[in-house]
Amino acid sequence: VTDLITTMATKAVVGRGLREAGAALKHASGVEVFTRHRPKMAFLNQKPFQTNDTFIAPTASVIGNVTNWDESSVWYNAVVRADSGFPITIGFLSNVQEGAVVTTLSCAKGAVNSDPLKSAGSHTNVTGVGVVAGGGEVGKVLDTGFPPVTHIGHYCSIGSGSVLVSCRVDDFCDVGDKCTILEGAWVESHVILEPGSVVPPYTRIPSGGRWGGNPIKFLGELGDGAKDGIKKKAEGRGVMAKEHAVEFLPVGSTYLHLEDLEREGKTAIQG
């Protein structure tokens, strides 16, 4: 085991050294490398759905069975990853802010081996529920008996750096920066989570309160002003998303970077 770990570590170090050396040589020769990041990517024959007024930032990653409602937005470096066979929904005028991660469990309680397509690959099973990996069906249900989907309601703000895993966030919720909401948790409507809060698995957060801490604790009731502020915050992000959307063409803006490199007399290759 020790020899295997040593070999893997050596390969990793050597591989990184070669990549960095190659990049340094290209830079020294005047060659610039540009990339074509794909903000949306299909997975297991399921591709993200978005309306015409949904904003997905050029550096965001929206993968698999994700539904984006009208005027929702996924911001820079955020990851919305539905690659376990269960969907993710982002509601009307809701936003997933910079660096947040929204995903679903890859395996859950009740795994069985019932799919007739027993192959070594991974695919959506014949019932459309769960994923078959190596011939075994995984990801059936949570301990609550519900499928491990992730649902974000309408007028919700998911703060920067937050992590949501197979949970439900109802309408009009403000999730602060760097919050964690784990599988089976349910955050009811008109709730504010203070930055850095941790909602343990299968925890229910009742409607109308301010919560914070690790683990989460009740801090007080929300007044009418605070509840209105949740909606106004989401609407403000919606306006900002429209401003950012007009700066990016449907075909992308990579060509602008390429033109800048050509004006500088540099040779560019796609990396």
Side-chain angles (χ1 to χ4, degrees):
V1 175
T2 303
D3 292 341
L4 177 61
I5 294 175
T6 302
T7 301
M8 293 175 63
T10 302
K11 288 182 178 180
V13 172
V14 173
R16 180 176 179 181
L18 291 173
R19 289 193 298 271
E20 292 181 350
L25 290 172
K26 290 178 181 178
H27 181 74
S29 64
V31 174
E32 293 285 342
V33 179
F34 69 96
T35 62
R36 295 184 182 273
H37 175 73
R38 291 187 293 167
K40 296 188 301 177
M41 189 181 80
F43 189 84
L44 294 175
N45 297 321
Q46 294 179 319
K47 60 182 181 179
F49 170 81
Q50 70 176 95
T51 61
N52 292 332
D53 51 6
T54 296
F55 172 66
I56 297 177
T59 57
S61 297
V62 180
I63 302 165
N65 187 7
V66 180
T67 299
N68 297 273
W69 280 58
D70 302 77
E71 300 186 51
S72 61
S73 55
V74 181
W75 289 82
Y76 302 93
N77 294 331
V79 177
V80 181
R81 180 169 55 85
D83 58 355
S84 66
F86 295 99
I88 295 174
T89 302
I90 301 174
F92 173 75
L93 259 177
S94 291
N95 57 85
V96 178
Q97 297 173 20
E98 292 82 353
V101 177
V102 181
T103 186
T104 57
L105 288 178
S106 58
C107 184
K109 180 182 177 183
V112 296
N113 188 20
S114 61
D115 196 283
L117 301 176
K118 299 186 184 303
S119 64
S122 296
H123 57 276
T124 304
N125 67 8
V126 291
T127 63
V129 179
V131 168
V132 174
E137 184 180 332
V138 298
K140 289 291 291 183
V141 294
L142 297 169
D143 288 343
T144 57
F146 293 100
V149 304
T150 299
H151 173 84
I152 299 173
H154 309 312
Y155 293 98
C156 291
S157 296
I158 309 301
S160 302
S162 294
V163 177
L164 278 65
V165 182
S166 291
C167 58
R168 181 180 180 89
V169 179
D170 283 344
D171 302 344
F172 300 102
C173 287
D174 183 3
V175 178
D177 296 345
K178 298 186 182 301
C179 288
T180 302
I181 307 177
L182 296 176
E183 68 273 10
W186 178 16
V187 181
E188 295 186 358
S189 61
H190 294 101
V191 166
I192 294 178
L193 300 185
E194 293 293 326
S197 300
V198 176
V199 182
Y202 305 105
T203 300
R204 177 190 171 202
I205 305 297
S207 176
R210 184 185 300 272
W211 295 70
N214 179 13
I216 199 83
K217 294 181 180 179
F218 178 70
L219 301 179
E221 297 288 345
L222 291 184
D224 292 338
K227 292 180 180 179
D228 291 340
I230 296 175
K231 182 178 180 181
K232 290 179 180 178
K233 180 177 181 179
E235 291 174 337
R237 272 281 174 166
V239 172
M240 190 188 304
K242 292 178 181 177
E243 294 172 348
H244 281 251
V246 298
E247 295 295 326
F248 300 100
L249 298 176
V251 296
S253 57
T254 304
Y255 73 95
L256 296 175
H257 183 204
L258 183 58
E259 290 176 353
D260 290 339
L261 295 175
E262 290 176 345
R263 278 194 292 269
E264 296 173 4
K266 297 180 179 179
T267 303
I269 62 173
Q270 181 176 342

